[in-house]
Amino acid sequence: TSLLDEEGNQDESLESKALSAEDQVKDRSTGTRVVAGQIFLESEKSDSQSEDEENFHNQEEEKENSLEELNSLEMSNLLNKDLEEAEIQSPVLTAIGGTADGEPCHFPFLFMEKEYAECTADGREDGRLWCATTYDYKKDQKWGFCETEEQSNKRRQMQEAEDVYQTGMKILNESSKKAQKKEAYQYLLKAADMNHTKAMEKVSYALLFGDYLKQNIQSSKELLEKLTEEGSPKGQMALGFLYASGLGVNSSQAKALVYYTFGALGGNLIAHMILGYRYWAGIGVLQSCESALTHYRLVANHVASDISLTGGTVVQRIRLPDEVENPGMASGMLEEDLIQYYQFLAEKGDVQAQVGLGQLHLHGGRGVEQNHQRAFEYFNQAANAGNSHAMAFLGKMYSEGSDVVPQSNETALQYFKKAADMGNPVGQSGLGMAYLYGRGVPVNYELALKYFQKAAEQGWVDGQLQLGSMYYNGIGVKRDYKQALKYFNLASQGGHILAFYNLAQMHATGTGVMRSCHTAVELFKNVCERGRWSERLMTAYNSYKDGDSNSAVVQYLLLAEQGYEVAQSNAAFILDQKEASIVGENETYPRALLHWNRAAAQGYTVARIKLGDYHFYGFGTDVDYETAFIHYRLASEQQHSAQAMFNLGYMHEKGLGIKQDIHLAKRFYDMAAEASPDAQVPVFLALCKLGVIYSLQYVREINIREVFSHIDMDQLLGPEWDLYLMTIIALLLGTIIAYRQRQHQAIPRPAGLRPAVPQQEPPPEHQPPQ
């Protein structure tokens, strides 16, 4: 508020300098000039004019840059909005105050030998916009303001807010240190207080997730409500998320759906992705594959155009339940000491270590941040040692260009040729790209096809993808959708995001294959999950590792809304462990159950077993053995889970949710032991217990007296059976007596009864030194 007060005072002081229309000076003495109600010295005229023009052009350039940064959807909406506003404003602009109050502005008008097609602040110190009501201002001196004083103040305030926002964003983008990023958010907070929309979006998200600002759901909610009123798609999407997850508000899926829909209509890609998942899974809406396809395809188009041919960013899908179950598992992350070991090897000249580190830094992932400078250095070292892989990747870096490596088709071509001559598939694929698009060489489809085939034969995904594209489009070869499908499938097995995208398009349109909406949606979903927002999976994991479970769970919950199965299971796990204080204790299990359910629907075995456990023990729901049995059976049949099989065995043994059947219990126990070596010990113990129970049950079921009454010993053993029995007993008794006597004789006398032998001390010369 103090900042706003200061700004208000500053505006007042500026406004006080302006002369009113009535106080206009008619005096045209030498060295002075009256311009739109203000007096200026002749000597200052040209300086102020050029300075204002420069500021005007700078603002225009900034506006153009900011427009370029918007995605295509937001751009089209913004342009439509601007056109609508222009249509509303274009008819008549009336002058306010000045010497021509109420008269229409004349465009263009001439001022200081320059024509103006719109209102200008040129010639005024206070920056207030004005216009002339006749063509020649100098001749007629007819003018008026284009805005009221209040509008002028508001516009200047927004300009100041924009400057503060840009300062904050500059610090945020240029620094990697946490302290500097926190400082940047202080600027953004100031801009948000001045009602700057983009700053409010940034700050609301930072407060929601606890990014560089202390997490505060309530403050975030207030900002998001304000943004939603202003029509911000980002604000609408985030407010929808709060209602969907019940954070800071009472959960309402209907309200969430409304806000998500408005966010998507405004062009927010995350809102489209959330709606795509909701229609696919039937959450809060009727299940509709076609609706899901529409939303997912739109987002996938953006993701596919955003990535380069490196195959997209690496998405780290670390599962918290698996990490706890198997603490030895590295979860795909490289330990810091292991990275240092590779760096040591690379410094010592190990070429493989250099290439490996180069690739890690080029793409990022596995706990290593993307760093093109270091990637370039490692590849250079390995290339100088004659490594073809390093040469090929240097070619890729020069071909794509970056802040570190300037784009150069000629240099890229040299490296690709060297690598290709050594039979390297990456180099061959690079050469194919050069001939396909004419980068540094004339376009030659035959050579492009030849090099892509060579690369594809060696299993290089880029070669397979480009070969598929050539067959799909019929470039340099006869169009063949079956061949295209074959190579896209091969590239997708290597995890290439564009291959998934192309396959999705083929299944969505029924090109070369039978149209399958379900397959297309699953493929598009895979592409969407490789977008830039996937980086938040790693941010959430790091927050959890740093002990900030509240921040981690909110981030995982948003990703869970987007349909990330790993985020759904991780959010459920944190809630299950009751580590997030942000969620009420009574709500943890029901919410965890909801996300285990969504993760299980996407095929995650642990989640399916957890669903069984929750219904078995009554966590977040009523105890329901039948439902628990169904979940365990699904996990057993679909994913062959040893844990599920063991649980089914136990339920059959006890007759819980199913008729008691000891034979089936043994069968499931045996299946569990076969499915996993880890289950063998608990299965052995369970079978021992089952054997005892079976024996007792058998004894209980038969009547011993009736059994003996039905046995005829004379018929079974003969008439003298009693004599035989007595003889056997006498022999056994004699044997035992003989054994006991022999044992008694063999027992040695106790050591205490032996006479003590006095120990002799060794002579002094043999004693050890003290």
Side-chain angles (χ1 to χ4, degrees):
T1 54
S2 61
L3 188 74
L4 287 168
D5 292 340
E6 283 172 26
E7 188 191 317
N9 294 337
Q10 189 183 16
D11 287 348
E12 281 173 21
S13 65
L14 281 167
E15 202 56 45
S16 64
K17 291 176 186 175
L19 297 175
S20 65
E22 291 84 317
D23 296 335
Q24 272 195 91
V25 182
K26 300 287 183 189
D27 178 56
R28 293 175 186 241
S29 56
T30 319
T32 64
R33 176 182 287 271
V34 181
V35 176
Q38 283 193 319
I39 300 173
F40 291 93
L41 294 172
E42 286 282 17
S43 58
E44 292 175 350
K45 176 196 72 172
S46 58
D47 292 340
S48 63
Q49 182 189 359
S50 60
E51 196 172 304
D52 287 341
E53 283 175 16
E54 189 178 335
N55 290 338
F56 176 79
H57 288 305
N58 287 341
Q59 286 171 21
E60 285 300 301
E61 281 174 17
E62 284 175 18
K63 189 178 177 185
E64 284 171 14
N65 291 339
S66 64
L67 281 172
E68 283 170 8
E69 285 168 13
L70 292 170
N71 65 49
S72 56
L73 284 166
E74 291 171 341
M75 176 79 120
S76 62
N77 288 316
L78 191 69
L79 288 172
N80 291 339
K81 191 178 173 184
D82 285 348
L83 285 169
E84 285 168 16
E85 286 175 4
E87 284 170 11
I88 294 164
Q89 292 174 3
S90 59
V92 177
L93 195 60
T94 308
I96 302 165
T99 57
D101 185 29
E103 292 181 25
C105 290
H106 188 288
F107 296 116
F109 64 87
L110 188 68
F111 171 62
M112 288 187 179
E113 299 176 0
K114 181 183 172 184
E115 281 194 346
Y116 290 84
E118 59 186 1
C119 297
T120 181
D122 287 3
R124 293 193 63 85
E125 281 184 353
D126 60 0
R128 198 167 166 188
L129 296 173
W130 66 277
C131 70
T133 56
T134 60
Y135 175 71
D136 194 339
Y137 168 79
K138 187 177 179 182
K139 179 185 171 187
D140 302 319
Q141 294 286 308
K142 301 279 278 181
W143 69 278
F145 292 113
C146 297
E147 56 189 358
T148 62
E149 195 172 326
E150 188 184 341
Q151 287 171 334
S152 176
N153 289 342
K154 191 177 178 183
R155 182 176 55 79
R156 284 200 299 275
Q157 185 181 332
M158 289 313 294
Q159 183 56 53
E160 190 177 335
E162 177 66 24
D163 293 341
V164 174
Y165 170 75
Q166 291 299 341
T167 306
M169 288 305 294
K170 190 180 180 187
I171 298 169
L172 194 66
N173 294 329
E174 289 178 0
S175 63
S176 56
K177 291 179 181 175
K178 200 171 183 179
Q180 288 176 320
K181 286 186 182 286
K182 282 185 176 179
E183 183 196 342
Y185 268 97
Q186 293 308 310
Y187 280 102
L188 296 177
L189 269 171
K190 284 181 187 176
D193 288 340
M194 296 157 78
N195 294 325
H196 189 283
T197 305
K198 284 187 179 178
M200 284 162 68
E201 287 172 352
K202 278 272 182 191
V203 169
S204 62
Y205 276 61
L207 289 168
L208 181 62
F209 301 126
D211 290 343
Y212 308 109
L213 289 175
K214 190 178 179 184
Q215 192 175 29
N216 189 329
I217 302 290
Q218 201 58 38
S219 298
S220 177
K221 187 198 86 168
E222 288 166 10
L223 273 175
L224 291 170
E225 283 174 342
K226 201 172 178 182
L227 284 165
T228 300
E229 285 171 17
E230 291 178 9
S232 161
K234 273 190 177 181
Q236 290 161 342
M237 184 279 294
L239 194 59
F241 162 65
L242 290 184
Y243 277 106
S245 52
L247 293 169
V249 291
N250 291 327
S251 180
S252 168
Q253 297 305 318
K255 282 185 179 179
L257 188 64
V258 169
Y259 286 123
Y260 284 149
T261 306
F262 277 117
L265 289 170
N268 186 271
L269 294 172
I270 292 175
H272 274 294
M273 195 170 167
I274 291 169
L275 286 174
Y277 174 66
R278 288 194 159 222
Y279 279 110
W280 182 63
I283 299 167
V285 289
L286 283 172
Q287 200 166 8
S288 168
C289 184
E290 294 300 331
S291 298
L293 181 65
T294 304
H295 288 290
Y296 271 132
R297 180 191 267 164
L298 199 143
V299 182
N301 290 343
H302 179 85
V303 174
S305 64
D306 190 40
I307 65 153
S308 67
L309 291 167
T310 51
T313 52
V314 178
V315 180
Q316 294 294 332
R317 298 174 189 267
I318 301 167
R319 298 184 187 280
L320 300 180
D322 290 354
E323 230 185 27
V324 171
E325 289 289 325
N326 308 295
M329 254 176 58
S331 304
M333 301 291 287
L334 287 175
E335 296 291 333
E336 186 61 36
D337 52 356
L338 190 60
I339 294 169
Q340 287 177 358
Y341 172 67
Y342 283 132
Q343 286 171 345
F344 171 75
L345 287 177
E347 284 166 16
K348 291 288 180 187
D350 188 305
V351 176
Q352 292 305 318
Q354 289 166 350
V355 174
L357 285 170
Q359 285 180 277
L360 269 177
H361 284 102
L362 178 64
H363 302 129
R366 300 194 71 184
V368 179
E369 282 191 10
Q370 199 172 32
N371 187 327
H372 282 184
Q373 180 62 50
R374 298 199 74 177
F376 183 72
E377 288 166 5
Y378 283 124
F379 285 141
N380 245 330
Q381 290 172 17
N384 291 337
N387 184 278
S388 63
H389 221 59
M391 291 173 190
F393 274 102
L394 278 175
K396 279 178 79 71
M397 290 187 80
Y398 275 109
S399 177
E400 289 167 13
S402 67
D403 296 339
V404 177
V405 183
Q407 203 281 334
S408 171
N409 288 332
E410 289 72 24
T411 315
L413 199 66
Q414 288 173 12
Y415 280 115
F416 283 144
K417 276 183 178 174
K418 282 183 187 176
D421 289 344
M422 296 167 78
N424 185 279
V426 186
Q428 290 165 345
S429 176
L431 266 184
M433 291 292 288
Y435 283 113
L436 181 65
Y437 295 107
R439 295 173 184 167
V441 287
V443 172
N444 189 325
Y445 295 137
E446 284 182 16
L447 280 174
L449 189 73
K450 173 189 156 188
Y451 282 115
F452 286 143
Q453 281 173 334
K454 283 185 176 180
E457 282 166 13
Q458 294 188 62
W460 180 240
V461 288
D462 274 358
Q464 292 164 342
L465 176 81
Q466 294 304 327
L467 201 55
S469 295
M470 290 186 83
Y471 277 112
Y472 183 86
N473 296 308
I475 298 172
V477 69
K478 190 182 176 184
R479 183 171 288 179
D480 188 336
Y481 291 129
K482 284 186 179 177
Q483 284 289 87
L485 191 71
K486 171 191 164 185
Y487 285 112
F488 286 151
N489 271 320
L490 285 169
S492 70
Q493 286 166 20
H496 203 303
I497 188 170
L498 291 178
F500 286 117
Y501 176 75
N502 291 340
L503 282 172
Q505 292 284 24
M506 290 182 82
H507 282 95
T509 54
T511 308
V513 286
M514 281 287 288
R515 187 181 186 275
S516 169
C517 176
H518 185 77
T519 308
V521 166
E522 288 193 335
L523 289 164
F524 275 135
K525 182 176 183 287
N526 196 323
V527 174
C528 295
E529 288 181 3
R530 298 279 289 275
R532 293 189 184 277
W533 37 80
S534 64
E535 291 169 11
R536 193 161 283 284
L537 280 170
M538 206 62 223
T539 315
Y541 175 75
N542 290 331
S543 296
Y544 181 75
K545 281 294 173 188
D546 293 339
D548 192 352
S549 296
N550 284 334
S551 173
V553 81
V554 174
Q555 293 179 76
Y556 278 134
L557 283 170
L558 176 59
L559 290 162
E561 281 288 299
Q562 289 174 247
Y564 285 89
E565 177 270 302
V566 67
Q568 290 166 348
S569 56
N570 285 354
F573 174 79
I574 295 171
L575 292 168
D576 178 77
Q577 299 294 305
K578 295 195 172 180
E579 293 176 325
S581 60
I582 206 167
V583 180
E585 197 169 333
N586 296 333
E587 297 176 32
T588 49
Y589 281 137
R591 290 193 191 188
L593 179 67
L594 173 77
H595 286 94
W596 285 131
N597 201 14
R598 290 181 185 178
Q602 296 200 60
Y604 184 42
T605 314
V606 173
R608 182 66 68 189
I609 294 166
K610 279 284 185 183
L611 281 177
D613 293 346
Y614 273 46
H615 285 96
F616 187 92
Y617 296 110
F619 292 159
T621 182
D622 297 328
V623 172
D624 187 343
Y625 294 130
E626 286 83 2
T627 308
F629 183 85
I630 290 166
H631 286 301
Y632 289 142
R633 194 178 67 196
L634 282 170
S636 165
E637 290 172 359
Q638 293 174 3
Q639 285 106 12
H640 307 289
S641 164
Q643 178 73 57
M645 291 168 186
F646 186 89
N647 293 355
L648 285 170
Y650 181 80
M651 292 184 84
H652 275 294
E653 178 191 324
K654 295 289 182 183
L656 301 170
I658 194 79
K659 188 182 175 184
Q660 190 176 26
D661 190 327
I662 288 172
H663 300 287
L664 269 176
K666 183 181 183 305
R667 181 184 160 204
F668 277 112
Y669 283 140
D670 288 338
M671 283 166 67
E674 286 173 19
S676 170
D678 296 337
Q680 287 177 356
V681 173
V683 163
F684 172 74
L685 296 172
L687 287 173
C688 289
K689 178 188 165 193
L690 199 64
V692 171
I693 291 167
Y694 181 74
S695 303
L696 289 171
Q697 190 177 340
Y698 179 75
V699 169
R700 200 181 296 123
E701 282 175 0
I702 62 168
N703 192 322
I704 295 168
R705 189 174 294 172
E706 281 185 21
V707 169
F708 278 110
S709 65
H710 284 94
I711 294 173
D712 186 353
M713 297 300 282
D714 289 344
Q715 192 176 355
L716 191 68
L717 299 172
E720 288 89 12
W721 65 271
D722 51 346
L723 291 173
Y724 299 147
L725 186 61
M726 286 170 66
T727 307
I728 290 166
I729 291 168
L731 286 169
L732 280 171
L733 190 63
T735 306
I736 290 165
I737 292 166
Y739 175 75
R740 292 286 292 167
Q741 282 179 343
R742 187 177 298 168
Q743 193 180 30
H744 185 71
Q745 288 171 2
I747 292 172
R749 292 172 70 186
L753 298 176
R754 291 179 185 172
V757 180
Q759 291 185 356
Q760 292 184 356
E761 290 187 5
E765 61 267 28
H766 294 295
Q767 287 185 359
Q770 295 296 318

